Amino acid sequence: MVAVMEKHPNHARGKQQIFNWAQAQGWQPQMEVYLSEIAQRPDVLVHINGRPMALEFQCSSLSAQRLQERNDGYHRLGIAVYWLLGPTYLRHLRAGMISQFTQLHAGSPHLAFWRLDRQEIEFRQNYYRPFLSRKMVSTRDLILRQTQSLQRYMHYRDRRWRSLINQAYVNGHQLSACPLVVHPLVPQWPLLDQGELYWRLRIILKLTICQVGMIWRRSEWNHWLIQQGRWWPTPCLTRNSRQWLIHKIVDQFTSELLDAGVVRQENANICLMRQPQWFDDDTVKVKKLLEGCR
């Protein structure tokens, strides 16, 4: 977990390195210029092709709300801002912190770090979930691992997971015996506070009690899916960039529901064709997976 402190010992060192690096780029850097209109001091203010940009070197913790306020202040003055994270952020980052400092580089989400040891920027994109390790190369292995996680969640006291477990039970289902389409297999950027598996389960449980033949306009369907999740704030992204990342997750799940025959697209509408098919229990599910069922 990132330590909370007013001034991190690496901050001054990194700020000077960034200043020197920006100077070598010909960006006319200025250090800690006071912007009286917003009462803020960017660590380093540069001009790239005539356009101002604040380079912020963040070593200590910063709330999403405060981060948003600082970004809004710069934007009111027409100043772009780019956040470079210090060494305390290089490990043990939770999904909320990843989302908080997500920026786009060459059209892809990433986190940017200033490496004090190399005096350069490092872009990291290895935060996609689910994480696919070399030891787990098959779809079956990934579903089995997620099923085992669901079995453990059965014993959790977390209020939101208990709610899902109870909803499944009321409808005659075991949560870990959920349909295969529930399992996220395509890595996505972590934007959901309980993870994509939880979000998909919420949707499947609601579809389980919907009347077959129910129709949504595609825009209504997308909105409904988004409303089923709690999404982390992304103060370093524009509204359009945030929506693009969210819709990638929504569109992927919709595509899988279409492939599974749960829903069908008719022109601009989504129609529920059949109830999602649950397994009798997780033992049956695991057995079929081990037998090669997909």
Side-chain angles (χ1 to χ4, degrees), residues 1-110:
M1 192 165 180
V2 180
V4 179
M5 54 186 72
E6 289 299 319
K7 290 293 183 180
H8 195 281
N10 286 319
H11 187 260
R13 178 184 169 200
K15 186 169 56 177
Q16 185 62 56
Q17 289 181 358
I18 293 168
F19 178 91
N20 295 340
W21 170 76
Q23 195 168 47
Q25 311 302 314
W27 291 345
Q28 304 171 333
Q30 298 171 277
M31 193 176 294
E32 292 197 342
V33 176
Y34 183 65
L35 306 174
S36 58
E37 301 94 328
I38 57 175
Q40 292 179 205
R41 294 180 185 271
D43 288 332
V44 180
L45 183 66
V46 300
H47 288 79
I48 302 175
N49 297 324
R51 301 185 64 180
M53 173 180 284
L55 300 178
E56 292 282 13
F57 182 50
Q58 193 63 33
C59 291
S60 58
S61 64
L62 184 67
S63 71
Q65 180 179 348
R66 182 60 185 139
L67 182 57
Q68 185 70 66
E69 291 170 353
R70 291 178 67 175
N71 288 343
D72 289 346
Y74 290 130
H75 294 158
R76 282 199 299 273
L77 299 183
I79 299 174
V81 58
Y82 198 74
W83 290 86
L84 302 169
L85 301 179
T88 47
Y89 285 89
L90 281 170
R91 55 189 178 275
H92 307 310
L93 275 181
R94 295 183 177 180
M97 196 66 71
I98 294 169
S99 295
Q100 180 176 324
F101 285 103
T102 294
Q103 302 175 104
L104 290 187
H105 175 68
S108 298
H110 72 282

Side-chain angles (χ1 to χ4, degrees), residues 160-171:
R160 285 179 287 182
W161 276 104
R162 294 307 309 175
S163 176
L164 289 190
I165 291 166
N166 292 336
Q167 288 176 50
Y169 177 78
V170 167
N171 288 283

Side-chain angles (χ1 to χ4, degrees), residues 96-260:
M97 196 66 71
I98 294 169
S99 295
Q100 180 176 324
F101 285 103
T102 294
Q103 302 175 104
L104 290 187
H105 175 68
S108 298
H110 72 282
L111 267 60
F113 296 85
W114 181 259
R115 295 302 303 260
L116 293 168
D117 51 346
R118 300 198 298 263
Q119 300 187 38
E120 64 182 16
I121 296 178
E122 178 184 316
F123 302 108
R124 289 196 175 188
Q125 296 179 301
N126 59 335
Y127 299 109
Y128 284 88
R129 300 291 183 273
F131 174 72
L132 303 179
S133 69
R134 293 180 180 178
K135 295 181 180 179
M136 187 178 56
V137 296
S138 73
T139 294
R140 184 194 67 181
D141 291 342
L142 184 52
I143 295 176
L144 284 171
R145 188 181 74 168
Q146 292 176 2
T147 300
Q148 290 166 357
S149 295
L150 289 174
Q151 290 169 335
R152 291 194 297 271
Y153 295 157
M154 298 289 288
H155 306 288
Y156 281 15
R157 295 185 178 180
D158 180 272
R159 177 178 54 83
R160 285 179 287 182
W161 276 104
R162 294 307 309 175
S163 176
L164 289 190
I165 291 166
N166 292 336
Q167 288 176 50
Y169 177 78
V170 167
N171 288 283
H173 303 301
Q174 186 183 45
L175 197 66
S176 51
C178 61
L180 296 182
V181 73
V182 167
H183 295 275
L185 304 176
V186 177
Q188 300 283 0
W189 199 253
L191 295 178
L192 286 150
D193 76 336
Q194 285 290 102
E196 191 178 349
L197 180 60
Y198 176 91
W199 172 73
R200 287 182 172 220
L201 277 165
R202 281 200 66 188
I203 293 165
I204 286 295
L205 283 166
K206 292 195 174 186
L207 289 178
T208 299
I209 59 176
C210 284
Q211 184 176 356
V212 172
M214 187 171 180
I215 295 176
W216 298 261
R217 293 178 182 174
R218 182 59 190 262
S219 58
E220 294 172 342
W221 168 263
N222 288 345
H223 179 72
W224 181 68
L225 263 58
I226 291 171
Q227 290 298 108
Q228 304 314 307
R230 292 177 56 180
W231 305 82
W232 291 111
T234 51
C236 295
L237 292 178
T238 65
R239 177 188 172 93
N240 287 342
S241 295
R242 173 181 172 83
Q243 289 301 312
W244 173 66
L245 286 175
I246 289 175
H247 277 278
K248 284 185 68 175
I249 297 172
V250 168
D251 291 347
Q252 178 62 40
F253 190 32
T254 299
S255 175
E256 292 176 25
L257 289 170
L258 288 166
D259 291 342

